[in-house]
Amino acid sequence: MEEELKCPVCGSLFREPIILPCSHNVCLPCARTIAVQTPENEQHLPALLQPRGSAPPAAAAAAPGTGLGPGPAASLDSECAAGGGVDHADKLSLHSETDSGYGSYTPSLKSPNGVRVLPLVPAPPGAAAAQRGAGPAGSSLTCPQCHRSASLDQRGLRGFQRNRLLEAIVQRYQQGRAAAAAAKCQLCDRSPPEPAAVLCEQCDVLYCAACQLRCHPARGPFAKHRLVPPPGAPGPPGGGDGGGKGAGGGRKLPTCAEHDLENYSMYCVSCRSPVCYQCLEDGRHGKHDVKALGAVWKQHKAQLSQALNGVSDKAKEAKEFLVQLKNLLQQIQENGLDYEACLVAQCDALVDALTRQKAKLLTKVTKEREHKLKVVWDQINHCTLKLRQSTGLMEYCLEVIKENDPSGFLQISDALIKRVQVSQEQWVKGALEPKVSAEFDLTLDSEPLLQAIHQLDFIQMKCRVPPVPLLQLEKCCTRNNSVTLAWRMPPLSHNPVEGYILELDDGDGGQFREVYVGKETLCTIDGLHFNSTYNARVKAFNSSGVGPYSKTVILQTSDVAWFTFDPSSAHRDIVLSNDNQTATCSSYDDRVVLGTAAFSKGVHYWELHVDRYDNHPDPAFGIARINVVKDMMLGKDDKAWAMYVDNNRSWFMHCNSHTNRTEGGVCKGATVGVLLDLNKHNLTFYINGQQQGPPAFENVEGVFMPALSLNRNVQVSLLKVNIGQRISPVEKTQ
């Protein structure tokens, strides 16, 4: 609150605050400092330079209490018409804003609070400035907060109302601060004593927080003592000083500024100021809207309280927002550390992979070097052996040539010549050439990797399409004619995913079609064909596009249809037993239960056995869609096709329409058969093997589930297909 009690000019607590026309406050001494006198030749403006909505010069001259007379408007108009009006208009516009309520002068000094002000222009002789707080006629005062200017009349600053309420609040604040500073703990051993935190009304002793815990614990005989804030401590909001009487709080009521002996009793709504009885008698507020001061006071208090409630709500939201921002700071710090650790781990993984690959490449180089060395050493050994043999033969031949015995020479010359020729032929072409070169035919192509390293960046900065989803084969399964598929994104994949597209073929090697689009990673498709092989694949997408397809998974549906009652989709009053093959109900109202299989193609037949039948109820048998209404008889909505039957007759029902009444009912031990032929798109019912009328419904298309509705008087069990029955065309599902 202290900031609200400081003057915007001097930065100190208000001293004799006055209320400016813009509703801001300023100290009276500071107001004398920032008052500016308007130059004499600029006090009156021509009519064409008056701001929109302001009074013309004549009206301004006639206004009471302004102290302004007629000015040289005609000369200014003539100057404007002569061509020099533009410059004069620009100069005059700097001061014409006084009438509009906005000042635009250029200050030359700066106050301690950072507000630039002008020193007061000396008043001309004989002006009202000699009076206390008055300014010269033609002076103006600019608000240091909103920069709105207000002209001063001959009363000067005394023409502004004194803000006595603000002055009283400042006084109480100073007294409270002084009292709070003077309130010291009376039992403290420290020097100086600690400031008092509480005052015990029974002990009449001031305690600091430490001394209160030590000397005045909240238990035993002290438990009933009342601890209050020390004198001068700020009380609860809106508490006031607690000692007031009436509206004045025990203080002397303010008197009228015009009539010192009269107290304010009324409020002029037009002038927005309190007035006394004498002011009303004078007639100056005769045509104004005047109301009782107390009523207006209560009304404005209520308005201020209502406005404070809105500010309080916003302040509460601001505090919650600050808590949110502080939590956000902590989350940013934690996420930053996590991402740093993740980045280091990913880079370390890349370095480790590069190190392992470097070791593999070095192994290849070592093997190539050892191979070349082995080839060269083998060639060296082979050549050395041949050279030794050739050298020995040459030396032997030279010795033979030196002999002079012709007969002896001729005796061995043929064989020796042949040996030399053979030895020469052994040095074939290429025998004296190296089999390997010193160069290594290994060139490491590191350019793609270098480019990838240079392009290594955070994916948030460059959004890409999602990667290939991974099908979780261990979670993919089939049941009857429904398949369930599950997938996930690969690990360490940070590309955003907005959803997935699951595609399935027609079970006969046909084209793929979309069967699911959404954010889930688990999907079950019902109503497929029995004894069929389906291919499924999935892909992910985001704002950048659609990613590639996953691998295709092959799913085989059951050869023969079989189902039980489904507890997950049944009405809560349905009671299932016998491995979900027997159904009854805990309510007297009809409730619906569905089968676990869905049919969309082929011919299907199932039978139900009536285990119990009391008080002639009306169970219904038939088919329904998955979203059928389950709290009323089957067939009363447009999602079900059924036959309901009592002990004598049966009816077909769809959309609550009853047709084809047929004689023949059910009893305990009866068998009800349902034949769904989706090839011919019709539905037929049987009771104890006898067909109940013609096919009940035609043009039945879609995906349907076996359905049953019953109440607590009936118990029904599901039977397998009886091949020995007379219904030979449907001995098994197709």
Side-chain angles (χ1 to χ4, degrees), residues 181-251:
K184 300 293 183 180
C185 178
Q186 296 176 323
L187 298 180
C188 207
D189 296 333
R190 302 179 183 179
S191 181
E194 292 291 326
V198 294
L199 169 67
C200 178
E201 292 185 341
Q202 284 72 21
C203 303
D204 196 19
V205 176
L206 292 169
Y207 298 94
C208 65
C211 292
Q212 177 198 351
L213 295 176
R214 179 168 51 88
C215 303
H216 199 286
R219 60 181 182 272
F222 298 107
K224 297 183 179 180
H225 286 200
R226 183 183 179 192
L227 301 178
V228 297
D241 54 10
K245 296 180 180 180
R251 298 186 299 272

Side-chain angles (χ1 to χ4, degrees), residues 12 20 160 202 265 273 275 278 387 431 453 460 499 510 612 678 706:
S12 303
L20 301 180
F160 297 118
Q202 284 72 21
S265 59
S273 62
V275 294
Q278 192 66 34
L387 181 60
I453 292 176
Q460 289 85 347
R612 180 169 53 83
L678 291 174

Side-chain angles (χ1 to χ4, degrees), residues 29-259:
C30 297
R32 298 193 189 102
T33 305
I34 64 176
V36 179
Q37 182 178 1
T38 305
E40 180 67 24
N41 60 347
E42 297 176 356
Q43 292 181 13
H44 308 286
L45 305 178
L48 61 91
L49 297 180
Q50 288 297 327
R52 181 180 299 177
S54 61
T66 58
L68 300 178
S75 62
L76 291 175
D77 290 339
S78 62
E79 290 182 7
C80 293
V86 176
D87 294 337
H88 288 288
D90 290 341
K91 294 177 181 178
L92 290 172
S93 66
L94 297 178
H95 300 278
S96 67
E97 292 175 350
T98 301
D99 295 329
S100 64
Y102 295 90
S104 58
Y105 62 88
T106 304
S108 60
L109 298 178
K110 195 172 184 180
S111 71
N113 199 32
V115 179
R116 295 186 178 275
V117 299
L118 279 177
L120 182 65
V121 178
Q131 302 177 7
R132 181 180 181 273
S139 297
S140 63
L141 183 66
T142 302
C143 176
Q145 291 182 276
C146 65
H147 305 294
R148 289 178 64 104
S149 294
S151 299
L152 304 182
D153 55 17
Q154 290 185 351
R155 294 180 298 171
L157 297 177
R158 291 192 307 160
F160 297 118
Q161 295 183 9
R162 185 87 164 267
N163 196 337
R164 295 182 177 85
L165 183 62
L166 177 60
E167 192 172 1
I169 294 175
V170 171
Q171 183 179 2
R172 290 203 307 269
Y173 179 77
Q174 291 176 330
Q175 293 174 354
R177 189 166 60 177
K184 300 293 183 180
C185 178
Q186 296 176 323
L187 298 180
C188 207
D189 296 333
R190 302 179 183 179
S191 181
E194 292 291 326
V198 294
L199 169 67
C200 178
E201 292 185 341
Q202 284 72 21
C203 303
D204 196 19
V205 176
L206 292 169
Y207 298 94
C208 65
C211 292
Q212 177 198 351
L213 295 176
R214 179 168 51 88
C215 303
H216 199 286
R219 60 181 182 272
F222 298 107
K224 297 183 179 180
H225 286 200
R226 183 183 179 192
L227 301 178
V228 297
D241 54 10
K245 296 180 180 180
R251 298 186 299 272
K252 181 181 179 181
L253 295 177
T255 58
C256 179
E258 301 292 338
H259 311 91

